[in-house]
Amino acid sequence: MNCLSLPPGGSTDATCHGTHGTSDVTTAALHIIMGDSRSVDVASVHAKGQLQGVATTMVSYGYFGDLLQSSERWRKLGPSRYIVSGVLQVIRNRSYEGQVSAPPGDAPLAQPDDAKTCSQHCGVCAKAARSSPLPGEWHQFSGRWSVLTSAVASCSCRLTPHGVSPSDKFTLGDGCTDLILVSGGSRFRILSYPYRTSCTGTR
């Protein structure tokens, strides 16, 4: 989808920040005045054949879904509510049983223009590489997940400058989504994922 520049207007301004690299109001206004536009990806969510909603950043289940839901009760804290809610989710250490199907790409669980796995010690990508499907077949993953996210944008913002999917800032509007799976059962895994994405820019 081709999208005109957007003014910031939310708690994290992830859509605005992800498209122009900043959530500064003046910068956004200048982009709008100049008529700048960018191609962006939009994800749709369906259930039983019915459209449930659309997303320009990510669709998430598990940690981020729980974080967003519980953060509503802390709305008076502003953007800081995400930090409070995030800490609570780590303490609760929830995970969910599920099965995920993903279409094959040019490389297992990689962007078409990125043949690298998401990180050096990624067990999910290593398993996918060992059991790469035949042409036309989909990747199948079953397990217990703390984080299950489909990111169509980097989701960068003031709180996480690199975003939950750092590589997506270079691939806006490419028709792809980054599938992020973090196994459940370990608070260290939950903590290490947001730490790497927010502080080091890696997954």
Side-chain angles (χ1 to χ4, degrees), residues 127-139:
K127 182 178 179 183
R130 289 194 301 270
S131 59
S132 185
L134 296 172
E137 291 186 352
W138 285 40
H139 295 279

Side-chain angles (χ1 to χ4, degrees), residues 4-20 22-32 157-158:
L4 294 174
S5 294
L6 299 170
S11 297
T12 60
D13 303 321
T15 301
C16 177
H17 199 286
T19 51
H20 353 123
T22 177
S23 53
D24 178 66
V25 176
T26 303
T27 301
L30 289 171
H31 279 288
I32 293 169
C157 64
R158 296 183 299 274

